[in-house]
mmCIF file of all heavy atoms in Angstrom:
data_model
loop_
_atom_site.group_PDB
_atom_site.id
_atom_site.type_symbol
_atom_site.label_atom_id
_atom_site.label_comp_id
_atom_site.label_asym_id
_atom_site.label_seq_id
_atom_site.Cartn_x
_atom_site.Cartn_y
_atom_site.Cartn_z
ATOM 1 N N ALA A 97 -43.903 51.926 40.449
ATOM 2 C CA ALA A 97 -43.032 53.049 39.857
ATOM 3 C C ALA A 97 -41.915 52.431 39.073
ATOM 4 O O ALA A 97 -41.466 52.810 37.965
ATOM 5 C CB ALA A 97 -42.595 53.865 40.973
ATOM 6 N N THR A 101 -38.140 44.444 40.881
ATOM 7 C CA THR A 101 -36.868 44.367 41.584
ATOM 8 C C THR A 101 -36.740 45.482 42.651
ATOM 9 O O THR A 101 -36.418 45.201 43.881
ATOM 10 C CB THR A 101 -35.786 44.458 40.641
ATOM 11 O OG1 THR A 101 -35.840 43.357 39.674
ATOM 12 C CG2 THR A 101 -34.391 44.324 41.296
ATOM 13 N N PRO A 118 -40.706 46.219 66.930
ATOM 14 C CA PRO A 118 -41.420 45.755 68.068
ATOM 15 C C PRO A 118 -40.480 45.005 69.095
ATOM 16 O O PRO A 118 -40.738 45.200 70.314
ATOM 17 C CB PRO A 118 -42.318 44.712 67.393
ATOM 18 C CG PRO A 118 -42.651 45.141 66.115
ATOM 19 C CD PRO A 118 -41.299 45.715 65.605
ATOM 20 N N PRO A 138 -36.745 41.144 82.164
ATOM 21 C CA PRO A 138 -37.359 42.025 81.113
ATOM 22 C C PRO A 138 -37.610 41.159 79.879
ATOM 23 O O PRO A 138 -38.583 41.343 79.205
ATOM 24 C CB PRO A 138 -36.377 43.084 80.813
ATOM 25 C CG PRO A 138 -35.694 43.278 82.160
ATOM 26 C CD PRO A 138 -35.655 41.941 82.769
ATOM 27 N N GLY A 219 -46.683 53.375 58.959
ATOM 28 C CA GLY A 219 -47.545 52.132 58.991
ATOM 29 C C GLY A 219 -49.015 52.456 58.709
ATOM 30 O O GLY A 219 -49.812 51.365 58.378
ATOM 31 N N MET A 234 -57.190 58.700 54.643
ATOM 32 C CA MET A 234 -55.789 58.544 54.901
ATOM 33 C C MET A 234 -54.918 59.887 54.950
ATOM 34 O O MET A 234 -54.139 59.996 55.805
ATOM 35 C CB MET A 234 -55.151 57.784 53.667
ATOM 36 C CG MET A 234 -55.628 56.286 53.600
ATOM 37 S SD MET A 234 -55.546 55.396 55.119
ATOM 38 C CE MET A 234 -53.809 55.346 55.359
ATOM 39 N N PHE A 238 -53.032 61.045 58.389
ATOM 40 C CA PHE A 238 -51.587 61.283 58.332
ATOM 41 C C PHE A 238 -51.301 62.713 58.852
ATOM 42 O O PHE A 238 -50.378 63.018 59.628
ATOM 43 C CB PHE A 238 -51.008 61.279 56.870
ATOM 44 C CG PHE A 238 -50.391 59.925 56.558
ATOM 45 C CD1 PHE A 238 -51.032 59.081 55.715
ATOM 46 C CD2 PHE A 238 -49.230 59.628 57.125
ATOM 47 C CE1 PHE A 238 -50.504 57.824 55.374
ATOM 48 C CE2 PHE A 238 -48.636 58.309 56.777
ATOM 49 C CZ PHE A 238 -49.266 57.529 55.907
ATOM 50 N N ALA A 255 -39.523 68.679 78.723
ATOM 51 C CA ALA A 255 -39.963 68.310 79.996
ATOM 52 C C ALA A 255 -39.046 67.274 80.741
ATOM 53 O O ALA A 255 -38.859 67.436 81.902
ATOM 54 C CB ALA A 255 -41.375 67.779 80.050
ATOM 55 N N VAL A 266 -30.596 59.262 81.214
ATOM 56 C CA VAL A 266 -29.878 58.280 80.324
ATOM 57 C C VAL A 266 -29.389 57.182 81.181
ATOM 58 O O VAL A 266 -29.414 55.976 80.783
ATOM 59 C CB VAL A 266 -28.739 59.048 79.649
ATOM 60 C CG1 VAL A 266 -27.942 58.007 78.873
ATOM 61 C CG2 VAL A 266 -29.275 59.981 78.575
ATOM 62 N N GLY A 301 -47.883 54.830 81.690
ATOM 63 C CA GLY A 301 -46.814 54.858 80.574
ATOM 64 C C GLY A 301 -46.548 53.700 79.737
ATOM 65 O O GLY A 301 -46.244 53.773 78.580
ATOM 66 N N LEU A 326 -48.637 38.289 47.063
ATOM 67 C CA LEU A 326 -48.156 38.510 45.610
ATOM 68 C C LEU A 326 -47.114 37.749 45.087
ATOM 69 O O LEU A 326 -46.527 37.900 44.073
ATOM 70 C CB LEU A 326 -47.858 40.049 45.473
ATOM 71 C CG LEU A 326 -48.903 41.125 45.743
ATOM 72 C CD1 LEU A 326 -48.422 42.505 45.564
ATOM 73 C CD2 LEU A 326 -50.083 40.820 44.759
ATOM 74 N N ILE A 332 -47.529 30.880 51.902
ATOM 75 C CA ILE A 332 -48.229 30.617 53.101
ATOM 76 C C ILE A 332 -48.467 31.955 53.838
ATOM 77 O O ILE A 332 -49.321 32.108 54.547
ATOM 78 C CB ILE A 332 -47.636 29.520 53.894
ATOM 79 C CG1 ILE A 332 -48.539 29.075 55.060
ATOM 80 C CG2 ILE A 332 -46.168 30.077 54.353
ATOM 81 C CD1 ILE A 332 -47.986 27.918 55.696
ATOM 82 N N LEU A 347 -48.336 37.136 60.905
ATOM 83 C CA LEU A 347 -48.238 37.668 62.213
ATOM 84 C C LEU A 347 -47.338 36.743 63.184
ATOM 85 O O LEU A 347 -46.438 37.118 63.960
ATOM 86 C CB LEU A 347 -49.585 37.888 62.928
ATOM 87 C CG LEU A 347 -50.373 39.103 62.426
ATOM 88 C CD1 LEU A 347 -51.851 38.919 62.729
ATOM 89 C CD2 LEU A 347 -49.690 40.410 62.925
ATOM 90 N N SER A 381 -39.911 55.481 48.590
ATOM 91 C CA SER A 381 -41.194 55.935 48.442
ATOM 92 C C SER A 381 -41.335 57.336 47.850
ATOM 93 O O SER A 381 -42.176 57.644 47.000
ATOM 94 C CB SER A 381 -41.918 56.040 49.866
ATOM 95 O OG SER A 381 -41.993 54.652 50.387
ATOM 96 N N PHE A 427 -21.355 51.544 61.386
ATOM 97 C CA PHE A 427 -20.955 50.755 60.159
ATOM 98 C C PHE A 427 -21.073 49.276 60.363
ATOM 99 O O PHE A 427 -21.555 48.593 59.480
ATOM 100 C CB PHE A 427 -19.408 51.101 59.893
ATOM 101 C CG PHE A 427 -19.033 50.412 58.615
ATOM 102 C CD1 PHE A 427 -19.422 50.916 57.372
ATOM 103 C CD2 PHE A 427 -18.191 49.300 58.559
ATOM 104 C CE1 PHE A 427 -18.936 50.378 56.143
ATOM 105 C CE2 PHE A 427 -17.823 48.733 57.376
ATOM 106 C CZ PHE A 427 -18.138 49.270 56.193
#
Side-chain angles (χ1 to χ4, degrees):
T101 299
M234 294 310 297
F238 267 110
V266 172
L326 297 181
I332 192 171
L347 286 163
S381 297
F427 189 73

